[in-house]
Amino acid sequence: MVIDFHTHTFPDKIADKTIAYLTEKGGIHAYRGGTLGSLIDTMKLSGVDCSVSLPIATLPKQEASINALSAEMNGKNNVFFSGGIHPDCADVDGTLDFIKESGLFGIKLHPDYQGVHFDDPRYINIMRKAFERDLYVVTHAGVDVGFRNHVHCTPDMILNVFSQLGGLYEDKLILAHLGGYELPDEVMEKLVGAPVYMDTAAVLKLYPEKCREIILRHGADRILFATDSPWESQSDFIEIIKSFGLGKENEDKIFYKNAEKILNI
């Protein structure tokens, strides 16, 4: 079984425009269209059983529609959704309560596209309240290809969040891109071994040997298979994980067992 824990989908009416904008902004290639339908098709072709779609609220006014749609679509066609929340949310408690009551597993934060540092007090407040509700938090970590001149989530910022949240974050925080896109050495120095999950989205082709080292040192119990589809190929990433020679027990944890626990499926 394979669960891709980090994908993105966009409403049909804006998907093509959004993909074109992000492709130009980040200088990246999309492996599929940006719709939910195209993700479902790619899953079938790649042998992916379930995917997780992570919407991002880039404006506070988007929260209600994102969360309503996520709640409506969650679990259908084997695609699960997170909720979305903006750092300037006017009603953090109410928004998180809706996400929890709707059966969504957690929220996605993206410091670059939301324009704040990961250790910003607004994020700290949101994460504390999310963890208190037993919700997971997924965050972009490291460089973003569209914002290379300013990294909004560095390993040092993550360590600062650890210190401010005490033990609340443990096994509830999920750091995308193996802890820091394009920052593998700093991740190995500062974050490997911390009680957080890391997903493999987007990085496996960039520096595969360092990815393998991070996975081995961090431990398969806290690694989630992920691609960042449509920006990476699901089938290619499956083959890369298999090429690492991690053993079936570790592969099973990474490919689906860890995700099953988080998604409660």
Side-chain angles (χ1 to χ4, degrees), residues 36-254:
L36 177 59
S38 67
L39 173 61
I40 294 167
D41 290 342
T42 305
M43 289 165 58
K44 293 175 182 176
L45 292 171
S46 304
V48 171
D49 298 277
C50 302
S51 288
V52 177
S53 182
L54 303 172
I56 301 162
T58 57
L59 297 169
K61 66 181 181 180
Q62 297 172 340
E63 293 170 341
S65 60
I66 284 174
N67 293 327
L69 184 60
S70 292
E72 177 187 348
M73 299 303 296
N74 190 47
K76 295 180 180 178
N77 298 298
N78 290 329
V79 179
F80 296 85
F81 288 77
S82 71
I85 191 168
H86 191 274
D88 292 326
C89 177
D91 182 10
V92 172
D93 288 301
T95 300
L96 292 176
D97 284 343
F98 177 85
I99 289 169
K100 179 68 175 181
E101 292 162 6
S102 297
L104 303 176
F105 75 91
I107 59 173
K108 170 67 185 291
L109 303 178
H110 200 307
D112 300 278
Y113 279 94
Q114 294 180 321
V116 298
H117 292 134
F118 185 58
D119 54 357
D120 184 283
R122 290 167 291 177
Y123 267 175
I124 297 294
N125 178 55
I126 288 170
M127 285 189 279
R128 178 177 288 110
K129 290 175 181 287
F131 296 142
E132 287 171 348
R133 288 166 170 80
D134 204 29
L135 290 168
Y136 290 84
V137 175
V138 185
T139 184
H140 173 90
V143 176
D144 185 277
V145 293
F147 297 87
R148 288 191 174 278
N149 61 330
H150 190 130
V151 181
H152 288 78
C153 183
T154 65
D156 283 334
M157 293 176 194
I158 294 168
L159 291 176
N160 189 28
V161 167
F162 291 172
S163 68
Q164 294 194 56
L165 288 177
L168 277 177
Y169 70 91
E170 294 185 7
D171 290 323
K172 294 295 181 193
L173 179 62
I174 301 166
L175 303 176
H177 316 300
L178 282 178
Y181 188 86
E182 294 188 353
L183 302 175
D185 294 332
E186 198 171 349
V187 168
M188 282 191 274
E189 177 188 350
K190 298 177 180 179
L191 298 178
V192 159
V196 296
Y197 287 96
M198 296 182 184
D199 80 31
T200 66
V203 295
L204 294 182
K205 292 180 182 177
L206 290 180
Y207 31 82
E209 287 304 315
K210 289 185 178 182
C211 289
R212 182 178 185 274
E213 184 178 355
I214 289 172
I215 290 169
L216 288 172
R217 289 175 56 183
H218 194 62
D221 289 336
R222 290 189 172 112
I223 300 291
L224 299 162
F225 175 75
T227 65
D228 214 0
S229 177
W231 309 114
E232 291 292 348
S233 162
Q234 292 184 312
S235 57
D236 287 356
F237 269 43
I238 290 172
E239 292 307 312
I240 293 172
I241 290 292
K242 289 181 177 179
S243 76
F244 286 167
L246 303 172
K248 186 178 187 307
E249 182 178 355
N250 286 335
E251 283 186 2
D252 286 349
K253 291 175 182 179
I254 293 167

